[in-house]
Amino acid sequence: MVKVYVPCDSTALSLGANKTADAIIAEAKKRGLEIELIRNGSRGLFWLEPMVEVTTSQGRVAYAPVLPKDVPSLFDADFLTGGAHPLNLGLTEELAWLKKQQRLTFARVGITDPISLEDYLAHDGYQGLQNALKLSGAEIVKTVTDSGLRGRGGAAFPTGIKWNTVLGCEATQKYIVCNADEGDSGTYSDRMIMEDDPYVLIEGMTIAGIAVGATQGYIYLRSEYPHALKALNTAIARAEQAGYLGDNICGSGKAFHLEVRRAAGAYVCGEETSLLESLEGKRGLVRFKPPLPAIEGLFGKPTVVNNVISLASVPIILDKGAQYYADYGMGRSRGTLPIQLAGNLKQTGLVELAFGATLRTLLYDFGGGSATGRPIRAVQVGGPLGAFLPESQFDTPLDYEEFTKIWAVLGHGGIVAFDDTVDMAKMARYAFEFCAIESCGKCTPCRIGSTRGVEVIDKIVANKGSPEHSKTIQLARDLSDTMLNGSLCALGGMTPYPVLSALNHFGEDFGIMK
Amino acid sequence: MTIALTPQEHAKIEAHIQAHKNKAGALLPLLHAIQDDISYVPEAAYLPISKALALSVAEVHGVVTFYHHFRTHPAGKHILQVCRAESCQAMGSEKLEAHIKATLGIDYHQTTADGAITLEPVYCLGNCACSPAVMMDDEVYGRMNAEKVAALVKEARCA
Ligand SMILES: Cc1cc2nc3c(=O)[nH]c(=O)nc-3n(C[C@H](O)[C@H](O)[C@H](O)COP(=O)(O)O)c2cc1C
Ligand code: SF4
Ligand code: FES
């Protein structure tokens, strides 16, 4: 029977994929044609969703974007055998946008039915776990360390070193906590993994548990992701049933249990210690460090806290080996980064590449320039705490250290483009406003400074051209300095990144004469 | 002002407490269960929750009010969340926000007079590839504009 694929990823749904799927089923029925309709994940070419694929003898053929109104003509054009049609894009695998990528963590995303365990197994799923079960905890940790994998949640701390600390702790109970709070604007790679290939995260967490001796895992999932919640819970139940989770994983005698916990809309709870407080049922106040969560984490026990992408990258490392992964990348940034193109771009979506590609390549080769057709003026990389980069910095390669050099961050790999209608003073104001809304309130520079910051930006704008103007600018700089140096966590400590980068690179928007 | 609960609501809350009280870190899952069921977390629930989880009423109150997700007042039949974060701003969400508020005649955290729609701000829905984005109940909608939102609202009102 012909297989027809219509994505169930929530961005595809946000563009009407369910209606497209319904229309295809109805039209096939009307014509008396038998098809098997599969809801796959998204290939990540979000500008082309809903993308429908059909299996042919040559491979999968893509048609996109397909709306219900296009469906009768697709059948007329015999799309079930890959027939010619204005929406026919040819073989999916041959699409330049996909061919230029290096998909390691996202190897299966868009190809498989996300919640089908059979599909997962048929596409190299659980190979990493099988290998891990033959190794000691220390050997697994060494493999992860040797791969060079650094945390993809923002701080880029080496994952293997974190695991080693937890491995070295004596405790009656240890935990693996997956940080799935993905609060950064411009990011959706965690969501895609959880909706479009949930087993890879489950497998990564299971390997982490076996490596460090943790028997319980939690996924702290942002409340804004109901589809991810459903996919994860279904996948967890099926993995349990098949013996990939539970008291005796694959007959090894080792135990690992997994539960999803919903967050409640506080950005600061993405910070790992605030997250742990929240999991314990408290307000998400950031904890002082030390102690590190690796030593005293959830309920005071040694805890690995890792981002979704960090954990989802572990299975391929255990499957193909540390060197295979480390061979990708540049400098101290090893492996690949799932980059998320967002904001004002023509071709938005997920691009997984080895570290080292330039921002320009992403914005223009992949992104196709701005959606509005106007010049791209500013780009924010790394979420609301990331710097704004002007055109003169677009040749910076995506690499943790290269970004540090220009006082910017890669963060979770989100890229948000703005065209030349953007008002950067407004963006700086918003950065302070966001910090004020989301501050946990534990320290003064962040709690009070953010509100003062909003007022100072308003004053700068109001004082344009007056003798007070330069003094007000200095006030904003001093305030930023206080927040940079006096905040307990990066929410207060990094809000100055968007603020000062806007001020430094786009001074004209603040009334600074060149 | 404390909103009085119906006996049915009391019973529902009690059932959720019983179902969750023995979990590790039970408070958030419990608050979610209550809000999912009756659309908010009533102040009248703080006392029974605090007793079951061995917390003070002040602690329960502190947690409910810390998190943006939890409501302390009943919501309308449908929740419309509008994304205010950067990617959506880059695609004109500010104008859309203003338009939605004006046409619904309410501000954030308010409910339309007919009780159909509660409006809430949200900071990223993970749909930044198709900004601006909104969420109606549990469904996300991308590349929104005034007409599309009006259609969503109309559909919700009829549903
Ligand atoms: C305000 C704030 C928000 C954060 N949000 C997230 C988040 O949503 N997801 C995430 O993985 N890490 C987030 N982090 C980083 C975490 O504190 C932590 O570094 C990370 O979960 C560690 O995992 P990794 O080493 O795998 O990156 C945030 C940090 C701060 C200060
Ligand atoms: S910087 Fe802000 S969010 Fe971080 S601990 Fe201080 S008050 Fe809390
Ligand atoms: S910024 Fe609006 S969906 Fe992400």
Side-chain angles (χ1 to χ4, degrees):
Chain A
M1 207 184 311
V2 189
K3 287 183 179 163
V4 180
Y5 294 83
V6 183
C8 63
D9 176 279
S10 55
T11 292
L13 298 183
S14 87
L15 300 175
N18 278 346
K19 287 190 176 137
T20 300
D22 290 346
I24 290 173
I25 292 171
E27 191 69 25
K29 203 169 163 201
K30 198 169 112 192
R31 296 180 187 228
L33 297 169
E34 282 210 51
I35 59 165
E36 182 185 356
L37 191 110
I38 297 166
R39 303 306 297 267
N40 58 330
S42 171
R43 298 271 191 169
L45 295 83
F46 284 138
W47 88 94
L48 286 175
E49 289 291 358
M51 179 189 276
V52 174
E53 289 177 83
V54 185
T55 39
T56 71
S57 52
Q58 274 83 48
R60 276 156 71 162
V61 173
Y63 294 83
V66 178
L67 298 178
K69 68 170 170 52
D70 305 313
V71 169
S73 72
L74 281 177
F75 277 89
D76 290 343
D78 207 8
F79 87 118
L80 294 178
T81 58
H85 186 278
L87 298 180
N88 185 326
L89 302 176
L91 293 172
T92 317
E93 304 286 341
E94 296 300 319
L95 291 171
W97 215 77
L98 277 174
K99 244 189 146 171
K100 285 188 287 184
Q101 301 193 30
Q102 284 116 19
R103 291 211 166 177
L104 304 186
T105 308
F106 278 68
R108 264 174 307 269
V109 169
I111 296 175
T112 53
D113 169 356
I115 55 167
S116 161
L117 183 55
E118 281 163 34
D119 233 6
Y120 185 66
L121 293 170
H123 290 83
D124 298 334
Y126 278 120
Q127 296 287 333
L129 178 68
Q130 297 299 353
N131 289 343
L133 286 170
K134 294 178 210 134
L135 303 174
S136 70
E139 286 167 331
I140 301 173
V141 172
K142 186 172 183 308
T143 306
V144 174
T145 307
D146 291 346
S147 76
L149 177 67
R150 292 163 74 180
R152 302 286 188 247
F157 187 81
T159 305
I161 293 181
K162 187 183 283 185
W163 289 19
N164 201 43
T165 305
V166 179
L167 174 66
C169 291
E170 286 291 329
T172 49
Q173 177 73 59
K174 298 178 186 179
Y175 296 103
I176 308 296
V177 170
C178 171
N179 188 341
D181 203 36
E182 193 163 66
D184 292 357
S185 167
T187 68
Y188 45 80
S189 60
D190 294 351
R191 180 186 62 67
M192 284 183 75
I193 284 291
M194 294 185 285
E195 289 179 357
D196 300 351
D197 196 17
Y199 292 108
V200 79
L201 174 59
I202 296 169
E203 182 182 350
M205 291 185 74
T206 309
I207 294 170
I210 288 167
V212 306
T215 54
Q216 177 67 47
Y218 290 102
I219 299 172
Y220 185 81
L221 174 70
R222 71 191 319 242
S223 53
E224 292 84 352
Y225 285 177
H227 292 284
L229 178 69
K230 260 182 257 163
L232 285 170
N233 280 335
T234 309
I236 287 171
R238 292 186 184 184
E240 273 169 1
Q241 209 161 22
Y244 287 101
L245 283 172
D247 286 322
N248 184 15
I249 291 166
C250 302
S252 66
K254 298 200 163 91
F256 190 69
H257 300 268
L258 193 51
E259 191 184 324
V260 184
R261 286 286 173 95
R262 283 162 74 194
Y267 178 75
V268 72
C269 287
E271 194 282 334
E272 57 185 6
T273 62
S274 164
L275 185 159
L276 295 174
E277 290 288 300
S278 183
L279 268 181
E280 290 180 9
K282 303 177 194 153
R283 290 188 296 154
L285 295 186
V286 172
R287 294 177 185 171
F288 289 101
K289 283 193 263 190
L292 290 173
I295 295 167
E296 279 180 45
L298 186 62
F299 302 115
K301 302 295 184 198
T303 303
V304 168
V305 184
N306 271 137
N307 171 255
V308 173
I309 301 297
S310 316
L311 289 162
S313 299
V314 166
I316 193 162
I317 292 169
L318 267 294
D319 179 11
K320 302 258 166 79
Q323 196 55 45
Y324 175 85
Y325 192 77
D327 281 344
Y328 292 88
M330 74 174 272
R332 288 179 46 225
S333 306
R334 307 314 313 172
T336 57
L337 181 68
I339 298 144
Q340 302 123 86
L341 297 181
N344 198 330
L345 288 175
K346 205 173 285 162
Q347 300 175 173
T348 52
L350 187 113
V351 181
E352 182 175 355
L353 284 178
F355 286 93
T358 66
L359 204 46
R360 197 179 296 279
T361 303
L362 283 148
L363 294 171
Y364 295 98
D365 293 359
F366 284 95
S370 79
T372 44
R374 306 181 65 95
I376 298 176
R377 179 160 180 247
V379 173
Q380 188 175 33
V381 184
L385 306 176
F388 287 102
L389 313 187
E391 156 96 40
S392 61
Q393 295 182 328
F394 287 179
D395 291 310
T396 314
L398 273 79
D399 166 84
Y400 294 117
E401 280 65 41
E402 291 298 320
F403 264 63
T404 307
K405 279 186 205 159
I406 58 164
W407 208 66
V409 291
L410 268 185
H412 189 44
I415 296 182
V416 179
F418 295 82
D419 73 11
D420 62 351
T421 60
V422 68
D423 175 351
M424 295 306 292
K426 218 165 159 186
M427 297 316 297
R429 184 189 195 277
Y430 173 80
F432 275 131
E433 183 193 355
F434 183 72
C435 181
I437 296 168
E438 301 296 338
S439 171
C440 86
K442 189 146 172 171
C443 52
T444 327
C446 168
R447 188 183 64 234
I448 310 285
S450 51
T451 303
R452 287 294 93 81
V454 172
E455 296 162 7
V456 170
I457 302 288
D458 285 342
K459 241 189 230 155
I460 290 175
V461 173
N463 283 352
K464 271 187 198 174
S466 97
E468 292 300 299
H469 191 244
S470 62
K471 256 199 247 163
T472 326
I473 300 260
Q474 194 50 47
L475 203 61
R477 292 191 181 279
D478 291 347
L479 180 67
S480 296
D481 253 10
T482 307
M483 289 177 70
L484 265 170
N485 300 310
S487 300
L488 180 58
C489 86
L491 180 50
M494 284 178 61
T495 293
Y497 275 65
V499 172
L500 292 181
S501 59
L503 200 54
N504 293 338
H505 300 304
F506 306 94
E508 58 275 23
D509 290 18
F510 297 79
I512 300 172
M513 301 302 168
K514 279 207 174 136
Chain B
M1 188 195 64
T2 316
I3 303 164
L5 296 183
T6 64
Q8 289 89 331
E9 285 171 331
H10 265 300
K12 282 178 176 177
I13 289 168
E14 195 47 46
H16 291 306
I17 291 174
Q18 292 310 320
H20 285 86
K21 68 175 185 188
N22 295 323
K23 269 194 185 151
L27 187 50
L28 260 74
L30 172 55
L31 296 177
H32 273 296
I34 293 172
Q35 177 157 307
D36 287 350
D37 196 358
I38 64 171
S39 89
Y40 75 117
V41 183
E43 210 177 312
Y46 297 176
L47 185 65
I49 293 174
S50 68
K51 281 190 180 153
L53 300 186
L55 299 167
S56 70
V57 168
E59 281 170 309
V60 177
H61 176 262
V63 170
V64 173
T65 51
F66 180 87
Y67 294 98
H68 303 304
H69 178 79
F70 296 124
R71 269 175 234 113
T72 51
H73 291 275
K77 266 179 82 180
H78 301 278
I79 316 279
L80 177 61
Q81 293 180 298
V82 183
C83 180
R84 291 197 65 213
E86 290 90 337
S87 174
C88 289
Q89 288 177 36
M91 292 302 282
S93 64
E94 274 195 319
K95 264 195 201 136
L96 185 65
E97 255 184 296
H99 177 86
I100 293 172
K101 286 183 186 176
T103 48
L104 291 181
I106 51 173
D107 204 340
Y108 285 130
H109 308 293
Q110 295 180 345
T111 302
T112 51
D114 63 355
I117 312 273
T118 296
L119 190 64
E120 290 182 351
V122 69
Y123 296 87
C124 193
L125 292 163
N127 203 39
C128 333
C130 298
S131 293
V134 305
M135 194 162 190
M136 183 70 92
D137 300 325
D138 272 356
E139 292 303 325
V140 190
Y141 297 87
R143 289 190 207 133
M144 283 289 112
N145 56 31
E147 296 81 65
K148 289 187 197 170
V149 173
L152 277 181
V153 168
K154 196 171 161 202
E155 202 181 319
R157 280 193 158 129
C158 296

